[in-house]
Amino acid sequence: MNRSISLLVAGVALAVSVQAFAAGDIEKGKAKVATCVACHGQDGNSVDPQYPRLAGQYADYLAMALHEYKDGRRGNAIMKGFAAQLSDEDINDVSAYFGSLPTKLDDLHNHIQGAQ
């Protein structure tokens, strides 16, 4: 019985933390992406396969990734530097903006290092 309660509490905590990531203002985000577009494209659909396409990704996933770059759980020095400058509100807004854009993702062809 204790295990079930522990799992329930953990699930609720996870849901609450994901909801915190999901909130953001798309219009404010649009005004905050000047640095991002150099690599990820103005429309979030990078044409260079070394940079991920952000358009249409889940906003909560993008926010989680930015928080992980910021705190070092993801190991990319360039993204860590950019993310370090962002507040939680900035992260939510930028994530909401890119998540709201139409994606050009269809598969991973030419978007995996070394793929032909």
Side-chain angles (χ1 to χ4, degrees), residues 7 10 15 68 70 98 114:
L7 289 174
E68 289 176 353
K70 186 174 181 173
F98 280 120

Side-chain angles (χ1 to χ4, degrees), residues 33-71:
V33 297
T35 304
C36 308
V37 301
C39 297
H40 297 286
Q42 184 64 45
D43 66 352
N45 287 292
S46 173
V47 295
D48 188 333
Q50 71 177 319
Y51 303 116
R53 291 183 175 183
L54 304 179
Q57 296 282 1
Y58 295 112
D60 54 349
Y61 170 77
L62 293 172
M64 181 184 69
L66 285 169
H67 282 286
E68 289 176 353
Y69 285 123
K70 186 174 181 173
D71 68 20

